[in-house]
Amino acid sequence: MIYLLALIPAIDWGAMPLITGKIGGSPVNQMFGIGAGASIVGIIAYLITKPTVSVTAFWFSLAIGCLWTIGQVGQFISFKHMGVSNTMPLSSAFVLVMTSFVGIFFFDEWQGARALSIGLTACVVVIIGAVLTSISDGTSDKKVSTKWVLFLLVTTIGYCAYSIFPKMPQVAHESSQGIFLPEVLGILLGSVIYTICSGNAKAFKQKEQYLNTLGGLSWGIGNFAYVFVGKALGVVTASIFGQMNVIISTFGGILLLHETKTKREMIYTVVGIILIVIGSILTVIAN
C-alpha cells in the first residue's frame, strides 16, 4: 500500500504543469493558482493532523515558500517559451545537480571516495540527459535557446533553497506536517507579491487566476503525500519515486499539450529522460 502512496507525488507533480498548461493563462495566473490550491491542501492537512510548529520554524518555512515561488515562476515562463516537454527535464536536472553540490559543500554529504565518485558520476549522467532532451531541429515555435536555459538555471535557485531547507537547523527538528502549512502559505504570499510587483494586479479579475487552483491542488496533494512516504520508506526511496514526475510531465506535454517533436528529437528525449532517471537513482545511492 505504501508503494502505491509513493506514486502519488510523481503523478501529481508531473500532472501539475499539464493541468496548468491545459487551463492556460499567464504565468501570473498559474503561479497564483499553485499557491491557492496548495494552501487549501495545507489548511485541510493542518486541521486533520493538528501538528505543532515553533514560531521561528513557522516564519522560516513561510520565507522558504516565498523563495520556491521564484523557481516556479521561472518554470512557468519557460513553459511558454520552450514548452513543458523541454523545460521539465532541464529543470529536474538543474535541481538535482544544484542540491547535490549544496549537500556536498554545506551538509557534508557524499563522504568518502566511493560516495563522491558515484555522486559526481550521477551528476554527469543527469547533465548529459538534460542536454539530450534539449536538442532541437528548430521545427517548433517552442524550442530550447541559450537565453531561456540560462533564465531557467538562475530561477532554479528558488527550488534549490526549498529542496534543502528541511535540513537547515531552523527546522531540522520540526515535524514535516508542522512546516507544511507555512510552506504553502509562503508560496501563496510569494505569488501575490509577484502578481502585484509585476504590474499584473488585474489578473485577480481573470478566471484563469482561479481555475489554475486545480494545478495547485494536484501539487499540494503530491507534496503532502511525500511527507508520509519519506517517513515510511525513507527520504532516499521517496526521492527516487518523486523524480519519476519528469516522465509524466515530459511525455504528457507531448501527448496532451500537443508539443511537437521530430523523430530525432523524440529519440534524444527518450534517451535523455532515461539518463536523468538513472542519474537520480545514482544520486540517492551516493547519499
Short mmCIF file of all heavy atoms in Angstrom, two decimals, residues 104-138:
data_model
loop_
_atom_site.label_atom_id
_atom_site.label_comp_id
_atom_site.label_asym_id
_atom_site.label_seq_id
_atom_site.Cartn_x
_atom_site.Cartn_y
_atom_site.Cartn_z
N ILE A 104 27.03 18.56 -0.74
CA ILE A 104 28.46 18.26 -0.58
C ILE A 104 29.16 19.34 0.24
O ILE A 104 29.88 19.06 1.20
CB ILE A 104 29.15 18.14 -1.96
CG1 ILE A 104 28.64 16.91 -2.71
CG2 ILE A 104 30.67 18.04 -1.79
CD1 ILE A 104 29.15 16.83 -4.14
N PHE A 105 28.95 20.58 -0.15
CA PHE A 105 29.72 21.68 0.44
C PHE A 105 29.17 22.20 1.77
O PHE A 105 29.92 22.77 2.56
CB PHE A 105 29.82 22.83 -0.57
CG PHE A 105 30.64 22.51 -1.78
CD1 PHE A 105 30.06 22.37 -3.03
CD2 PHE A 105 32.01 22.31 -1.67
CE1 PHE A 105 30.81 22.06 -4.15
CE2 PHE A 105 32.79 22.00 -2.78
CZ PHE A 105 32.19 21.87 -4.02
N PHE A 106 27.88 22.02 2.02
CA PHE A 106 27.30 22.59 3.23
C PHE A 106 26.79 21.57 4.24
O PHE A 106 26.66 21.87 5.42
CB PHE A 106 26.15 23.55 2.87
CG PHE A 106 26.61 24.78 2.13
CD1 PHE A 106 26.55 24.84 0.75
CD2 PHE A 106 27.13 25.86 2.82
CE1 PHE A 106 26.99 25.96 0.06
CE2 PHE A 106 27.56 27.00 2.14
CZ PHE A 106 27.49 27.05 0.75
N PHE A 107 26.48 20.36 3.77
CA PHE A 107 25.92 19.36 4.68
C PHE A 107 26.77 18.10 4.76
O PHE A 107 26.33 17.09 5.30
CB PHE A 107 24.49 19.01 4.26
CG PHE A 107 23.54 20.19 4.33
CD1 PHE A 107 23.08 20.79 3.16
CD2 PHE A 107 23.13 20.71 5.54
CE1 PHE A 107 22.21 21.87 3.20
CE2 PHE A 107 22.26 21.79 5.60
CZ PHE A 107 21.81 22.38 4.43
N ASP A 108 27.99 18.16 4.21
CA ASP A 108 28.94 17.05 4.30
C ASP A 108 28.37 15.73 3.81
O ASP A 108 28.61 14.67 4.39
CB ASP A 108 29.44 16.88 5.75
CG ASP A 108 30.21 18.11 6.23
OD1 ASP A 108 30.97 18.66 5.42
OD2 ASP A 108 30.03 18.49 7.39
N GLU A 109 27.60 15.76 2.74
CA GLU A 109 27.07 14.55 2.15
C GLU A 109 28.10 13.96 1.18
O GLU A 109 29.08 14.60 0.83
CB GLU A 109 25.75 14.83 1.44
CG GLU A 109 24.64 15.28 2.39
CD GLU A 109 23.32 15.49 1.69
OE1 GLU A 109 23.28 15.44 0.45
OE2 GLU A 109 22.31 15.73 2.39
N TRP A 110 27.84 12.74 0.74
CA TRP A 110 28.73 12.02 -0.17
C TRP A 110 30.14 11.92 0.42
O TRP A 110 31.14 12.19 -0.25
CB TRP A 110 28.80 12.70 -1.54
CG TRP A 110 27.51 12.70 -2.30
CD1 TRP A 110 26.33 12.17 -1.89
CD2 TRP A 110 27.27 13.27 -3.58
NE1 TRP A 110 25.36 12.37 -2.84
CE2 TRP A 110 25.90 13.04 -3.89
CE3 TRP A 110 28.07 13.96 -4.50
CZ2 TRP A 110 25.33 13.47 -5.08
CZ3 TRP A 110 27.50 14.39 -5.68
CH2 TRP A 110 26.14 14.15 -5.97
N GLN A 111 30.21 11.56 1.68
CA GLN A 111 31.51 11.41 2.33
C GLN A 111 32.19 10.13 1.88
O GLN A 111 31.56 9.09 1.76
CB GLN A 111 31.35 11.42 3.85
CG GLN A 111 30.87 12.76 4.39
CD GLN A 111 30.77 12.75 5.91
OE1 GLN A 111 31.03 11.75 6.55
NE2 GLN A 111 30.41 13.89 6.48
N GLY A 112 33.46 10.21 1.63
CA GLY A 112 34.22 9.04 1.19
C GLY A 112 34.35 9.01 -0.32
O GLY A 112 33.53 9.57 -1.06
N ALA A 113 35.42 8.36 -0.79
CA ALA A 113 35.73 8.32 -2.21
C ALA A 113 34.63 7.63 -3.02
O ALA A 113 34.27 8.08 -4.13
CB ALA A 113 37.06 7.61 -2.43
N ARG A 114 34.07 6.54 -2.47
CA ARG A 114 33.05 5.79 -3.20
C ARG A 114 31.80 6.63 -3.42
O ARG A 114 31.28 6.73 -4.54
CB ARG A 114 32.68 4.51 -2.44
CG ARG A 114 31.58 3.69 -3.11
CD ARG A 114 31.22 2.44 -2.30
NE ARG A 114 30.11 1.72 -2.92
CZ ARG A 114 28.83 2.03 -2.70
NH1 ARG A 114 28.52 3.06 -1.91
NH2 ARG A 114 27.87 1.34 -3.30
N ALA A 115 31.30 7.25 -2.33
CA ALA A 115 30.09 8.06 -2.43
C ALA A 115 30.30 9.25 -3.36
O ALA A 115 29.42 9.59 -4.17
CB ALA A 115 29.67 8.54 -1.04
N LEU A 116 31.47 9.88 -3.26
CA LEU A 116 31.75 11.05 -4.08
C LEU A 116 31.84 10.68 -5.56
O LEU A 116 31.30 11.39 -6.42
CB LEU A 116 33.06 11.70 -3.63
CG LEU A 116 33.38 13.08 -4.24
CD1 LEU A 116 32.29 14.07 -3.89
CD2 LEU A 116 34.74 13.57 -3.75
N SER A 117 32.47 9.55 -5.85
CA SER A 117 32.61 9.13 -7.25
C SER A 117 31.25 8.77 -7.86
O SER A 117 30.96 9.13 -9.00
CB SER A 117 33.57 7.94 -7.36
OG SER A 117 33.09 6.83 -6.62
N ILE A 118 30.40 8.08 -7.06
CA ILE A 118 29.06 7.74 -7.55
C ILE A 118 28.24 9.01 -7.76
O ILE A 118 27.56 9.17 -8.78
CB ILE A 118 28.34 6.80 -6.56
CG1 ILE A 118 29.03 5.44 -6.50
CG2 ILE A 118 26.87 6.63 -6.96
CD1 ILE A 118 28.45 4.51 -5.45
N GLY A 119 28.32 9.92 -6.80
CA GLY A 119 27.55 11.15 -6.87
C GLY A 119 27.94 12.03 -8.06
O GLY A 119 27.08 12.53 -8.79
N LEU A 120 29.24 12.20 -8.27
CA LEU A 120 29.70 13.02 -9.39
C LEU A 120 29.37 12.36 -10.72
O LEU A 120 29.02 13.04 -11.69
CB LEU A 120 31.21 13.27 -9.26
CG LEU A 120 31.63 14.15 -8.08
CD1 LEU A 120 33.14 14.28 -8.04
CD2 LEU A 120 30.98 15.53 -8.18
N THR A 121 29.48 11.04 -10.77
CA THR A 121 29.09 10.32 -11.99
C THR A 121 27.61 10.53 -12.28
O THR A 121 27.21 10.75 -13.43
CB THR A 121 29.37 8.81 -11.84
OG1 THR A 121 30.76 8.60 -11.62
CG2 THR A 121 28.92 8.05 -13.08
N ALA A 122 26.80 10.50 -11.22
CA ALA A 122 25.36 10.72 -11.37
C ALA A 122 25.08 12.10 -11.95
O ALA A 122 24.23 12.25 -12.83
CB ALA A 122 24.67 10.57 -10.01
N CYS A 123 25.79 13.10 -11.45
CA CYS A 123 25.59 14.47 -11.94
C CYS A 123 25.94 14.57 -13.42
O CYS A 123 25.24 15.24 -14.20
CB CYS A 123 26.43 15.45 -11.13
SG CYS A 123 25.82 15.73 -9.46
N VAL A 124 27.02 13.93 -13.82
CA VAL A 124 27.43 13.94 -15.23
C VAL A 124 26.37 13.27 -16.09
O VAL A 124 26.00 13.77 -17.17
CB VAL A 124 28.80 13.23 -15.42
CG1 VAL A 124 29.11 13.07 -16.90
CG2 VAL A 124 29.90 14.02 -14.72
N VAL A 125 25.85 12.12 -15.62
CA VAL A 125 24.80 11.40 -16.35
C VAL A 125 23.56 12.26 -16.50
O VAL A 125 22.95 12.33 -17.58
CB VAL A 125 24.45 10.07 -15.63
CG1 VAL A 125 23.21 9.43 -16.25
CG2 VAL A 125 25.63 9.10 -15.69
N VAL A 126 23.17 12.95 -15.42
CA VAL A 126 22.00 13.82 -15.45
C VAL A 126 22.19 14.97 -16.43
O VAL A 126 21.29 15.32 -17.21
CB VAL A 126 21.69 14.37 -14.04
CG1 VAL A 126 20.67 15.50 -14.12
CG2 VAL A 126 21.15 13.25 -13.15
N ILE A 127 23.37 15.57 -16.41
CA ILE A 127 23.66 16.69 -17.31
C ILE A 127 23.60 16.24 -18.77
O ILE A 127 23.03 16.92 -19.63
CB ILE A 127 25.04 17.31 -16.99
CG1 ILE A 127 24.99 18.01 -15.62
CG2 ILE A 127 25.46 18.29 -18.07
CD1 ILE A 127 26.34 18.45 -15.11
N ILE A 128 24.18 15.08 -19.05
CA ILE A 128 24.14 14.54 -20.42
C ILE A 128 22.68 14.31 -20.83
O ILE A 128 22.26 14.64 -21.96
CB ILE A 128 24.94 13.23 -20.53
CG1 ILE A 128 26.43 13.51 -20.33
CG2 ILE A 128 24.71 12.56 -21.89
CD1 ILE A 128 27.28 12.25 -20.25
N GLY A 129 21.89 13.74 -19.91
CA GLY A 129 20.48 13.50 -20.20
C GLY A 129 19.73 14.79 -20.50
O GLY A 129 18.93 14.86 -21.44
N ALA A 130 20.02 15.83 -19.71
CA ALA A 130 19.35 17.12 -19.92
C ALA A 130 19.73 17.73 -21.26
O ALA A 130 18.89 18.30 -21.97
CB ALA A 130 19.72 18.08 -18.78
N VAL A 131 21.01 17.61 -21.63
CA VAL A 131 21.47 18.12 -22.92
C VAL A 131 20.77 17.41 -24.06
O VAL A 131 20.33 18.04 -25.04
CB VAL A 131 23.00 17.97 -23.05
CG1 VAL A 131 23.45 18.30 -24.48
CG2 VAL A 131 23.72 18.89 -22.07
N LEU A 132 20.63 16.10 -23.95
CA LEU A 132 19.96 15.32 -25.00
C LEU A 132 18.51 15.74 -25.17
O LEU A 132 18.01 15.85 -26.30
CB LEU A 132 20.04 13.82 -24.69
CG LEU A 132 21.42 13.16 -24.82
CD1 LEU A 132 21.36 11.70 -24.39
CD2 LEU A 132 21.93 13.26 -26.25
N THR A 133 17.80 15.98 -24.05
CA THR A 133 16.39 16.37 -24.15
C THR A 133 16.23 17.75 -24.77
O THR A 133 15.15 18.09 -25.27
CB THR A 133 15.70 16.37 -22.77
OG1 THR A 133 16.31 17.35 -21.92
CG2 THR A 133 15.78 15.00 -22.13
N SER A 134 17.27 18.57 -24.71
CA SER A 134 17.18 19.94 -25.21
C SER A 134 17.56 20.06 -26.68
O SER A 134 17.44 21.14 -27.26
CB SER A 134 18.09 20.86 -24.38
OG SER A 134 19.45 20.55 -24.58
N ILE A 135 18.02 18.96 -27.30
CA ILE A 135 18.39 19.01 -28.72
C ILE A 135 17.16 19.28 -29.57
O ILE A 135 16.12 18.63 -29.42
CB ILE A 135 19.06 17.68 -29.15
CG1 ILE A 135 20.44 17.55 -28.48
CG2 ILE A 135 19.20 17.62 -30.68
CD1 ILE A 135 21.13 16.24 -28.77
N SER A 136 17.27 20.25 -30.44
CA SER A 136 16.11 20.67 -31.24
C SER A 136 16.48 20.79 -32.71
O SER A 136 17.58 21.22 -33.06
CB SER A 136 15.59 22.02 -30.73
OG SER A 136 14.57 22.52 -31.57
N ASP A 137 15.53 20.41 -33.56
CA ASP A 137 15.71 20.56 -35.00
C ASP A 137 15.19 21.91 -35.50
O ASP A 137 15.25 22.22 -36.68
CB ASP A 137 14.99 19.44 -35.76
CG ASP A 137 15.66 18.08 -35.53
OD1 ASP A 137 16.89 18.07 -35.33
OD2 ASP A 137 14.96 17.06 -35.57
N GLY A 138 14.62 22.68 -34.54
CA GLY A 138 14.14 24.02 -34.91
C GLY A 138 12.83 24.03 -35.67
O GLY A 138 12.50 25.01 -36.33
#
